Amino acid sequence: MVWLHRPTADAEPVRGEVADRGRVIDDPAEHDSPALAEIFSSVDEERPVRILDLGPALPVNLAFYNSVAGSVRIADLVRGENLRELDQRGFVSLLGRLVSATDEAFELILAWDILDHLTAEQPGVLAHHLAAVADRGARIHLMTTTTDTMPAEPTRYEIAGPGRLVYRPTTDKRVAAPNPPPALVERWLDPFKITRSVILRHGVREFIGLLR
């Protein structure tokens, strides 16, 4: 877990401890991310947001967060874990260790493709845990695969700009994709309300959720 805090004007840019990148397949692809663009377009530079990133600490993302975030927590939720193998107690314990409550509730959550790598019971547990550590009105960005298959492990996403993502697979093995319909995702994410759902041509559906 990595914490970052926005530097003062006369300080060096903040750099968190960068997590081990693990295996990365040399087959990146860059795509538009309209939902990500929408989220970051509303960020006020005069009022930096508090961000929770469920993915790993990637250098390019840390550099981007330095320009928009007052504080950032990098949870690296799937590092060294096969989340589907955890029972509910183990999953809740993991969330408690990596995404614990703080004095400053999160305003923006980047969940990436986490839903594709959970059991059918885990998304609701995750959503309620995230709601407990987020501010009212907080938004969550996440993606699901819409093709028949997907990478067997979570992809690493590098922010190339407010509305651009570089996809870096961590395995060349593919498995069946769950393809949850938007209505099921909305039920999973309650108490977050889905405010946008968009299908992208490269086989991904993006969601934005708002904590009510």
Side-chain angles (χ1 to χ4, degrees), residues 1-5 14-17 50-52 70-74 98 100-104 106:
M1 180 173 57
V2 178
W3 268 106
L4 304 178
H5 294 277
V14 174
R15 295 178 177 85
E17 174 192 351
R50 299 182 295 275
I51 294 177
L52 170 62
S71 63
V72 180
R73 179 179 289 191
I74 305 293
L98 298 182
S100 57
T102 69
D103 292 335
E104 295 185 344
F106 299 107

Side-chain angles (χ1 to χ4, degrees), residues 98-115:
L98 298 182
V99 193
S100 57
T102 69
D103 292 335
E104 295 185 344
F106 299 107
E107 299 168 292
L108 177 58
I109 301 169
L110 301 173
W112 308 117
D113 60 355
I114 189 69
L115 292 185

Side-chain angles (χ1 to χ4, degrees), residues 26 33 49 75 82 106 118 126 129 136:
D26 189 20
S33 177
V49 294
N82 184 338
F106 299 107
L118 299 179
L126 175 63
H129 187 88
R136 184 175 182 181

Side-chain angles (χ1 to χ4, degrees), residues 83-89 91-92 95 114-129 178 180 184 187-190:
L83 300 180
R84 287 197 181 108
E85 294 180 351
L86 298 177
D87 59 17
Q88 181 162 328
R89 173 180 284 186
F91 188 56
V92 170
L95 293 176
I114 189 69
L115 292 185
D116 280 344
H117 300 277
L118 299 179
T119 67
E121 294 76 25
Q122 288 173 333
V125 176
L126 175 63
H128 278 85
H129 187 88
L184 178 57
R187 289 200 298 273
W188 278 347
L189 290 183
D190 183 64

Side-chain angles (χ1 to χ4, degrees), residues 110-177:
L110 301 173
W112 308 117
D113 60 355
I114 189 69
L115 292 185
D116 280 344
H117 300 277
L118 299 179
T119 67
E121 294 76 25
Q122 288 173 333
V125 176
L126 175 63
H128 278 85
H129 187 88
L130 294 177
V133 299
D135 206 359
R136 184 175 182 181
R139 288 184 294 175
I140 184 171
H141 170 273
L142 64 158
M143 301 178 286
T144 60
T145 302
T146 60
T147 53
D148 292 336
T149 64
M150 67 180 192
E153 300 172 5
T155 296
R156 301 211 167 176
Y157 299 94
E158 297 180 353
I159 302 174
R164 297 285 292 176
L165 284 175
V166 176
Y167 293 49
R168 292 191 182 275
T170 58
T171 179
D172 50 12
K173 180 182 177 182
R174 298 188 70 83
V175 297

